Amino acid sequence: MTMEELRQAIDAVDDKLLHLLKERQGLATRIGDLKRAQGLPIYDPVRENQILTRLTALNAGELAEVAVLAAWREIFSASRQAQTPLRVAYLGPEGTFTQQAAMAKFGTAAELIATQTIAAAFNFIAKRTVDFAVLPVENTLQGVVGETVDLLGSARMPLIIGEVTMPIHFVFSSQCEQLEKITTIYSKQEAFPQCSNFLNQPALDGAKRVPVASTAEAVLRAADDAEGAALSAEIAATHAGVPILFHNVENSARNKTRFLVLGHDQHNGNGGEMKTSVFAKVPNVAGGLEGMLRAFKECGKNLTKIESRPMDDATNFETWFYIEFEGTMGDVAGHDAFKNNDLVWLGSYPRSLSVGD
Protein backbone atom coordinates (compact mmCIF):
# COMPACT_ATOMS: atom_id res chain seq x y z
CA MET A 1 0.00 0.00 0.00
CA THR A 2 1.13 3.53 -0.71
CA MET A 3 1.40 6.26 1.95
CA GLU A 4 -1.85 7.80 0.74
CA GLU A 5 -3.66 4.46 0.82
CA LEU A 6 -2.44 3.80 4.38
CA ARG A 7 -3.62 7.23 5.48
CA GLN A 8 -7.01 6.65 3.90
CA ALA A 9 -7.23 3.35 5.79
CA ILE A 10 -6.41 5.15 9.05
CA ASP A 11 -9.08 7.77 8.29
CA ALA A 12 -11.62 4.97 7.82
CA VAL A 13 -10.67 3.44 11.17
CA ASP A 14 -10.90 6.87 12.85
CA ASP A 15 -14.41 7.31 11.43
CA LYS A 16 -15.43 3.95 12.93
CA LEU A 17 -13.85 4.85 16.28
CA LEU A 18 -15.72 8.15 16.40
CA HIS A 19 -19.02 6.44 15.60
CA LEU A 20 -18.43 3.84 18.32
CA LEU A 21 -17.43 6.50 20.87
CA LYS A 22 -20.64 8.42 20.15
CA GLU A 23 -22.61 5.19 20.55
CA ARG A 24 -20.84 4.49 23.85
CA GLN A 25 -21.52 8.02 25.06
CA GLY A 26 -25.21 7.56 24.35
CA LEU A 27 -25.31 4.37 26.40
CA ALA A 28 -23.40 6.05 29.25
CA THR A 29 -25.89 8.93 29.25
CA ARG A 30 -28.78 6.45 29.56
CA ILE A 31 -26.99 4.78 32.49
CA GLY A 32 -26.60 8.21 34.08
CA ASP A 33 -30.35 8.75 33.80
CA LEU A 34 -30.99 5.41 35.51
CA LYS A 35 -28.50 6.23 38.28
CA ARG A 36 -30.23 9.52 39.01
CA ALA A 37 -33.64 7.86 39.02
CA GLN A 38 -32.39 5.25 41.49
CA GLY A 39 -30.43 7.72 43.61
CA LEU A 40 -27.07 6.14 42.75
CA PRO A 41 -23.77 8.08 42.49
CA ILE A 42 -22.52 8.90 39.00
CA TYR A 43 -18.91 7.92 39.71
CA ASP A 44 -18.44 4.17 40.23
CA PRO A 45 -14.73 3.37 40.76
CA VAL A 46 -15.39 -0.36 41.13
CA ARG A 47 -17.09 -0.57 37.72
CA GLU A 48 -14.33 1.48 36.08
CA ASN A 49 -11.64 -0.77 37.55
CA GLN A 50 -13.49 -3.83 36.27
CA ILE A 51 -13.55 -2.36 32.76
CA LEU A 52 -9.86 -1.44 32.83
CA THR A 53 -8.86 -4.85 34.17
CA ARG A 54 -10.88 -6.62 31.47
CA LEU A 55 -9.47 -4.43 28.68
CA THR A 56 -5.83 -4.76 29.76
CA ALA A 57 -6.27 -8.55 29.85
CA LEU A 58 -7.94 -8.48 26.43
CA ASN A 59 -5.14 -6.30 25.09
CA ALA A 60 -2.57 -8.96 26.09
CA GLY A 61 0.32 -6.53 25.66
CA GLU A 62 -0.27 -5.75 21.99
CA LEU A 63 -0.70 -2.08 22.87
CA ALA A 64 1.19 -0.30 25.64
CA GLU A 65 -0.86 -0.80 28.80
CA VAL A 66 -0.33 2.82 29.87
CA ALA A 67 -1.83 3.97 26.56
CA VAL A 68 -4.91 1.77 26.99
CA LEU A 69 -5.45 3.01 30.55
CA ALA A 70 -4.99 6.66 29.55
CA ALA A 71 -7.36 6.39 26.59
CA TRP A 72 -10.16 4.79 28.56
CA ARG A 73 -9.76 7.12 31.52
CA GLU A 74 -10.44 10.00 29.14
CA ILE A 75 -13.43 8.12 27.75
CA PHE A 76 -14.71 7.68 31.32
CA SER A 77 -14.09 11.38 31.98
CA ALA A 78 -16.13 12.44 28.95
CA SER A 79 -18.93 10.05 29.92
CA ARG A 80 -19.10 11.41 33.48
CA GLN A 81 -19.07 14.97 32.19
CA ALA A 82 -22.09 14.19 30.01
CA GLN A 83 -23.91 12.80 33.06
CA THR A 84 -22.90 15.47 35.60
CA PRO A 85 -19.88 17.80 35.97
CA LEU A 86 -17.45 16.77 38.73
CA ARG A 87 -15.37 19.05 40.95
CA VAL A 88 -12.15 17.56 42.31
CA ALA A 89 -9.86 19.17 44.90
CA TYR A 90 -6.15 18.35 44.98
CA LEU A 91 -2.96 19.53 46.66
CA GLY A 92 -1.81 22.35 44.39
CA PRO A 93 -0.76 24.58 42.90
CA GLU A 94 -0.90 23.56 39.25
CA GLY A 95 1.89 21.27 38.19
CA THR A 96 2.12 19.09 41.30
CA PHE A 97 2.30 15.32 41.18
CA THR A 98 -1.06 15.30 42.94
CA GLN A 99 -2.58 17.18 40.01
CA GLN A 100 -1.20 14.53 37.67
CA ALA A 101 -2.80 11.84 39.85
CA ALA A 102 -6.14 13.67 39.83
CA MET A 103 -6.01 13.97 36.04
CA ALA A 104 -5.08 10.29 35.72
CA LYS A 105 -8.12 9.33 37.81
CA PHE A 106 -10.73 11.80 36.59
CA GLY A 107 -9.45 12.92 33.17
CA THR A 108 -9.39 16.39 31.69
CA ALA A 109 -13.18 16.87 31.65
CA ALA A 110 -13.38 17.21 35.46
CA GLU A 111 -13.00 20.61 37.10
CA LEU A 112 -9.78 20.39 39.12
CA ILE A 113 -9.47 22.76 42.07
CA ALA A 114 -6.01 23.40 43.52
CA THR A 115 -5.59 23.96 47.26
CA GLN A 116 -2.54 25.24 49.10
CA THR A 117 -2.49 22.51 51.76
CA ILE A 118 -3.53 18.91 52.32
CA ALA A 119 -5.84 20.08 55.11
CA ALA A 120 -7.61 22.52 52.79
CA ALA A 121 -8.34 19.83 50.20
CA PHE A 122 -9.51 17.50 52.97
CA ASN A 123 -11.86 20.13 54.38
CA PHE A 124 -13.31 20.71 50.90
CA ILE A 125 -14.40 17.09 50.67
CA ALA A 126 -15.38 16.76 54.35
CA LYS A 127 -17.74 19.74 53.96
CA ARG A 128 -18.94 18.56 50.51
CA THR A 129 -17.68 21.71 48.80
CA VAL A 130 -16.35 19.42 46.06
CA ASP A 131 -17.34 15.98 44.82
CA PHE A 132 -13.93 14.36 45.33
CA ALA A 133 -10.44 15.05 46.63
CA VAL A 134 -7.08 13.49 45.74
CA LEU A 135 -4.34 13.46 48.38
CA PRO A 136 -0.91 11.79 48.67
CA VAL A 137 -0.76 9.04 51.26
CA GLU A 138 2.48 7.08 50.74
CA ASN A 139 5.80 7.16 48.92
CA THR A 140 7.97 4.09 48.36
CA LEU A 141 11.05 5.94 49.67
CA GLN A 142 9.62 8.28 52.32
CA GLY A 143 6.80 6.18 53.75
CA VAL A 144 3.33 7.41 54.70
CA VAL A 145 2.16 11.01 54.54
CA GLY A 146 1.24 11.44 58.17
CA GLU A 147 -0.98 14.48 57.68
CA THR A 148 -3.29 12.67 55.26
CA VAL A 149 -3.58 9.59 57.48
CA ASP A 150 -4.21 11.65 60.62
CA LEU A 151 -6.90 13.76 58.94
CA LEU A 152 -8.68 10.57 57.89
CA GLY A 153 -8.48 9.25 61.42
CA SER A 154 -9.82 12.46 62.93
CA ALA A 155 -12.81 12.49 60.56
CA ARG A 156 -14.03 9.10 61.86
CA MET A 157 -15.99 8.40 58.67
CA PRO A 158 -15.49 6.29 55.51
CA LEU A 159 -14.15 8.74 52.92
CA ILE A 160 -11.67 6.62 50.92
CA ILE A 161 -13.23 5.44 47.65
CA GLY A 162 -10.17 4.83 45.47
CA GLU A 163 -6.42 5.03 45.03
CA VAL A 164 -3.94 5.97 42.32
CA THR A 165 -0.32 4.81 42.14
CA MET A 166 2.09 6.87 40.04
CA PRO A 167 5.81 6.65 39.27
CA ILE A 168 7.57 9.81 40.45
CA HIS A 169 10.10 11.37 38.10
CA PHE A 170 11.83 14.62 39.06
CA VAL A 171 13.44 17.15 36.76
CA PHE A 172 16.08 19.69 37.75
CA SER A 173 15.33 23.07 36.18
CA SER A 174 17.06 26.43 36.35
CA GLN A 175 17.72 29.58 34.37
CA CYS A 176 21.36 29.21 35.38
CA GLU A 177 23.13 26.80 33.04
CA GLN A 178 26.23 26.35 35.21
CA LEU A 179 25.60 24.17 38.25
CA GLU A 180 28.45 25.76 40.18
CA LYS A 181 26.69 29.15 40.07
CA ILE A 182 23.38 27.87 41.48
CA THR A 183 23.02 29.19 45.03
CA THR A 184 19.56 27.92 46.00
CA ILE A 185 17.54 24.79 45.25
CA TYR A 186 13.79 24.87 45.93
CA SER A 187 11.48 21.92 46.38
CA LYS A 188 9.05 20.20 48.70
CA GLN A 189 10.87 18.86 51.76
CA GLU A 190 10.24 15.22 50.81
CA ALA A 191 11.86 15.69 47.39
CA PHE A 192 15.38 16.38 48.65
CA PRO A 193 16.11 12.91 50.08
CA GLN A 194 14.43 11.32 47.05
CA CYS A 195 16.99 13.08 44.81
CA SER A 196 19.97 13.07 47.19
CA ASN A 197 22.32 11.19 44.84
CA PHE A 198 22.01 13.94 42.24
CA LEU A 199 22.11 16.79 44.76
CA ASN A 200 25.23 15.52 46.54
CA GLN A 201 27.52 16.10 43.55
CA PRO A 202 30.39 18.58 44.15
CA ALA A 203 29.01 21.19 41.74
CA LEU A 204 25.96 21.68 43.98
CA ASP A 205 27.76 21.44 47.30
CA GLY A 206 27.37 25.15 48.04
CA ALA A 207 23.71 25.41 47.05
CA LYS A 208 21.23 25.98 49.88
CA ARG A 209 18.19 23.71 49.92
CA VAL A 210 14.99 25.62 50.64
CA PRO A 211 11.80 23.61 51.32
CA VAL A 212 8.55 25.12 50.02
CA ALA A 213 4.90 24.04 50.07
CA SER A 214 4.98 22.12 46.77
CA THR A 215 7.22 21.24 43.85
CA ALA A 216 5.10 23.52 41.67
CA GLU A 217 5.82 26.45 43.96
CA ALA A 218 9.51 25.51 43.80
CA VAL A 219 9.52 26.10 40.05
CA LEU A 220 7.82 29.49 40.48
CA ARG A 221 10.51 30.46 42.99
CA ALA A 222 13.23 29.33 40.58
CA ALA A 223 11.61 31.36 37.79
CA ASP A 224 12.16 34.53 39.86
CA ASP A 225 15.69 33.62 40.98
CA ALA A 226 18.48 33.89 38.40
CA GLU A 227 20.69 31.68 40.57
CA GLY A 228 17.94 29.37 41.77
CA ALA A 229 16.90 25.88 40.71
CA ALA A 230 13.99 23.55 41.39
CA LEU A 231 13.19 19.87 41.76
CA SER A 232 9.73 19.25 40.36
CA ALA A 233 7.52 17.35 37.98
CA GLU A 234 8.25 18.00 34.31
CA ILE A 235 4.80 19.53 33.78
CA ALA A 236 5.49 22.20 36.42
CA ALA A 237 8.82 23.28 34.90
CA THR A 238 7.33 23.36 31.40
CA HIS A 239 4.31 25.35 32.58
CA ALA A 240 6.52 27.92 34.34
CA GLY A 241 8.93 28.18 31.42
CA VAL A 242 12.01 27.28 33.48
CA PRO A 243 14.58 25.39 31.36
CA ILE A 244 15.00 21.73 32.31
CA LEU A 245 18.68 20.88 32.75
CA PHE A 246 18.32 17.23 33.82
CA HIS A 247 15.54 14.63 33.67
CA ASN A 248 14.90 11.70 36.05
CA VAL A 249 17.15 12.90 38.87
CA GLU A 250 15.40 10.73 41.49
CA ASN A 251 17.51 8.15 43.32
CA SER A 252 15.41 5.17 42.35
CA ALA A 253 13.50 4.27 39.21
CA ARG A 254 11.09 2.47 41.55
CA ASN A 255 10.12 5.74 43.25
CA LYS A 256 6.31 5.79 43.37
CA THR A 257 3.65 7.70 45.27
CA ARG A 258 0.21 6.41 46.13
CA PHE A 259 -2.69 8.84 46.27
CA LEU A 260 -6.08 8.34 47.89
CA VAL A 261 -9.34 9.40 46.25
CA LEU A 262 -11.82 10.73 48.79
CA GLY A 263 -15.59 10.98 48.42
CA HIS A 264 -18.83 10.28 50.26
CA ASP A 265 -20.24 7.30 48.33
CA GLN A 266 -18.91 3.84 49.14
CA HIS A 267 -19.22 1.19 46.40
CA ASN A 268 -19.59 -2.57 46.58
CA GLY A 269 -17.05 -4.93 45.10
CA ASN A 270 -15.83 -8.44 45.72
CA GLY A 271 -13.07 -9.02 48.23
CA GLY A 272 -10.56 -10.07 45.60
CA GLU A 273 -10.47 -6.66 43.95
CA MET A 274 -10.98 -4.48 47.04
CA LYS A 275 -8.90 -2.99 49.83
CA THR A 276 -10.03 -1.52 53.11
CA SER A 277 -8.47 1.09 55.41
CA VAL A 278 -9.21 1.29 59.12
CA PHE A 279 -7.92 2.93 62.25
CA ALA A 280 -7.56 0.39 65.06
CA LYS A 281 -7.30 1.09 68.76
CA VAL A 282 -5.92 -1.85 70.71
CA PRO A 283 -6.09 -2.50 74.45
CA ASN A 284 -3.12 -0.94 76.22
CA VAL A 285 -2.03 -4.25 77.69
CA ALA A 286 0.68 -6.81 77.01
CA GLY A 287 -0.19 -8.67 73.83
CA GLY A 288 -2.79 -6.11 72.75
CA LEU A 289 -1.31 -5.63 69.29
CA GLU A 290 -0.67 -9.35 68.91
CA GLY A 291 -4.34 -10.03 69.65
CA MET A 292 -5.50 -7.61 66.97
CA LEU A 293 -3.16 -9.10 64.37
CA ARG A 294 -4.37 -12.57 65.31
CA ALA A 295 -7.94 -11.36 64.76
CA PHE A 296 -7.15 -10.39 61.18
CA LYS A 297 -5.51 -13.76 60.64
CA GLU A 298 -8.58 -15.56 61.97
CA CYS A 299 -10.67 -13.59 59.45
CA GLY A 300 -8.29 -14.69 56.68
CA LYS A 301 -7.33 -11.10 55.88
CA ASN A 302 -3.92 -10.19 54.44
CA LEU A 303 -2.59 -6.89 55.85
CA THR A 304 -0.89 -4.72 53.24
CA LYS A 305 0.07 -1.92 55.63
CA ILE A 306 0.20 -1.19 59.35
CA GLU A 307 1.44 2.13 60.71
CA SER A 308 1.28 3.49 64.26
CA ARG A 309 -0.17 7.00 64.62
CA PRO A 310 -0.47 9.23 67.73
CA MET A 311 -3.85 9.48 69.47
CA ASP A 312 -5.60 12.83 69.93
CA ASP A 313 -6.41 12.02 73.56
CA ALA A 314 -3.19 10.17 74.42
CA THR A 315 -2.01 10.60 78.00
CA ASN A 316 0.87 8.16 77.98
CA PHE A 317 1.96 7.89 74.35
CA GLU A 318 -0.85 5.52 73.39
CA THR A 319 -1.26 5.01 69.66
CA TRP A 320 -3.78 4.12 66.99
CA PHE A 321 -2.80 1.86 64.11
CA TYR A 322 -3.56 2.75 60.52
CA ILE A 323 -4.19 -0.57 58.74
CA GLU A 324 -4.92 -1.57 55.16
CA PHE A 325 -6.05 -5.07 54.28
CA GLU A 326 -7.29 -6.97 51.25
CA GLY A 327 -11.06 -7.27 51.20
CA THR A 328 -13.99 -5.21 52.45
CA MET A 329 -15.14 -4.05 55.85
CA GLY A 330 -17.94 -6.60 55.67
CA ASP A 331 -15.30 -9.33 55.82
CA VAL A 332 -14.35 -8.40 59.40
CA ALA A 333 -17.23 -6.30 60.78
CA GLY A 334 -18.94 -7.97 63.70
CA HIS A 335 -16.40 -10.77 63.92
CA ASP A 336 -15.90 -11.99 67.49
CA ALA A 337 -12.16 -11.70 67.06
CA PHE A 338 -12.47 -7.89 67.07
CA LYS A 339 -14.73 -7.52 70.08
CA ASN A 340 -11.83 -6.12 72.16
CA ASN A 341 -10.60 -3.75 69.44
CA ASP A 342 -12.02 -0.43 68.31
CA LEU A 343 -12.08 -0.33 64.49
CA VAL A 344 -12.86 2.94 62.69
CA TRP A 345 -13.78 2.26 59.06
CA LEU A 346 -12.09 4.72 56.66
CA GLY A 347 -13.31 3.16 53.42
CA SER A 348 -13.29 0.14 51.10
CA TYR A 349 -12.09 0.73 47.55
CA PRO A 350 -10.76 -1.00 44.42
CA ARG A 351 -7.05 -1.70 44.33
CA SER A 352 -5.06 0.68 42.16
CA LEU A 353 -4.10 -0.10 38.60
CA SER A 354 -0.66 1.46 38.04
CA VAL A 355 -0.78 4.62 35.93
CA GLY A 356 2.56 3.63 34.38
CA ASP A 357 5.59 5.58 33.22
Side-chain angles (χ1 to χ4, degrees), residues 268-296:
N268 295 323
N270 66 63
E273 65 183 16
M274 301 290 284
K275 291 174 61 177
T276 293
S277 294
V278 298
F279 255 99
K281 182 180 180 181
V282 303
N284 189 23
V285 296
L289 176 59
E290 179 188 5
M292 182 190 66
L293 296 178
R294 188 186 314 115
F296 278 106

Side-chain angles (χ1 to χ4, degrees), residues 122 124 217 274 333:
F122 186 86
F124 272 26
E217 180 183 337
M274 301 290 284

Side-chain angles (χ1 to χ4, degrees), residues 53-65:
T53 300
R54 179 175 60 82
L55 291 176
T56 52
L58 186 63
N59 175 45
E62 295 179 26
L63 298 173
E65 182 174 310

Side-chain angles (χ1 to χ4, degrees), residues 14-323:
D14 286 342
D15 292 346
K16 293 177 182 178
L17 286 174
L18 180 59
H19 175 76
L20 291 173
L21 287 172
K22 289 164 66 176
E23 181 180 351
R24 188 190 193 283
Q25 188 81 329
L27 294 171
T29 300
R30 291 169 61 184
I31 288 177
D33 293 338
L34 290 174
K35 286 181 176 180
R36 278 187 289 272
Q38 298 174 22
L40 298 175
I42 293 297
Y43 176 53
D44 188 342
V46 173
R47 169 62 176 160
E48 290 189 2
N49 256 45
Q50 290 171 343
I51 294 174
L52 294 175
T53 300
R54 179 175 60 82
L55 291 176
T56 52
L58 186 63
N59 175 45
E62 295 179 26
L63 298 173
E65 182 174 310
V66 64
V68 173
L69 296 177
W72 257 265
R73 283 182 173 123
E74 282 302 317
I75 291 173
F76 294 158
S77 182
S79 296
R80 289 192 298 264
Q81 183 68 14
Q83 296 173 37
T84 186
L86 297 182
R87 304 177 76 234
V88 182
Y90 70 92
L91 175 62
E94 290 187 7
T96 60
F97 291 110
T98 312
Q99 183 193 26
Q100 292 185 27
M103 291 178 65
K105 193 66 174 178
F106 291 99
T108 54
E111 180 185 357
L112 301 184
I113 301 169
T115 66
Q116 293 301 310
T117 63
I118 288 175
F122 186 86
N123 287 334
F124 272 26
I125 188 62
K127 297 178 180 179
R128 298 179 183 265
T129 306
V130 296
D131 300 295
F132 303 100
V134 178
L135 296 176
V137 70
E138 180 183 16
N139 177 265
T140 52
L141 302 181
Q142 296 299 110
V144 299
V145 180
E147 183 177 2
T148 297
V149 171
D150 293 342
L151 284 168
L152 287 166
S154 65
R156 300 290 194 273
M157 65 176 72
L159 288 175
I160 308 174
I161 64 168
E163 64 177 3
V164 184
T165 300
M166 289 185 58
I168 301 300
H169 299 298
F170 287 95
V171 300
F172 186 81
S173 59
S174 177
Q175 301 177 80
C176 182
E177 296 183 355
Q178 294 179 277
L179 295 185
E180 294 82 359
K181 294 184 178 181
I182 293 174
T183 60
T184 309
I185 303 172
Y186 304 98
S187 196
K188 192 172 175 62
Q189 179 63 55
E190 291 81 359
F192 293 118
Q194 293 179 37
C195 303
S196 59
N197 292 345
F198 174 83
L199 295 176
N200 289 337
Q201 60 182 293
L204 294 173
D205 186 55
K208 182 180 179 181
R209 301 175 188 180
V210 177
V212 293
S214 68
T215 55
E217 180 183 337
V219 176
L220 297 178
R221 298 281 287 271
D224 293 330
D225 186 346
E227 296 180 339
L231 291 168
S232 74
E234 182 175 353
I235 188 176
T238 302
H239 181 74
V242 180
I244 296 175
L245 304 185
F246 298 93
H247 288 81
N248 299 334
V249 297
E250 64 276 1
N251 292 354
S252 172
R254 296 186 298 274
N255 187 10
K256 294 183 178 181
T257 294
R258 190 163 60 98
F259 303 83
L260 293 179
V261 181
L262 308 184
H264 288 277
D265 296 308
Q266 289 290 316
H267 297 264
N268 295 323
N270 66 63
E273 65 183 16
M274 301 290 284
K275 291 174 61 177
T276 293
S277 294
V278 298
F279 255 99
K281 182 180 180 181
V282 303
N284 189 23
V285 296
L289 176 59
E290 179 188 5
M292 182 190 66
L293 296 178
R294 188 186 314 115
F296 278 106
K297 181 178 180 181
E298 291 175 3
C299 290
K301 295 293 101 182
N302 177 43
L303 302 190
T304 59
K305 175 160 292 297
I306 179 169
E307 185 88 15
S308 64
R309 302 304 304 167
M311 295 173 58
D312 293 340
D313 56 352
T315 58
N316 192 30
F317 300 99
E318 297 92 346
T319 62
W320 285 86
F321 289 91
Y322 173 73
I323 295 173

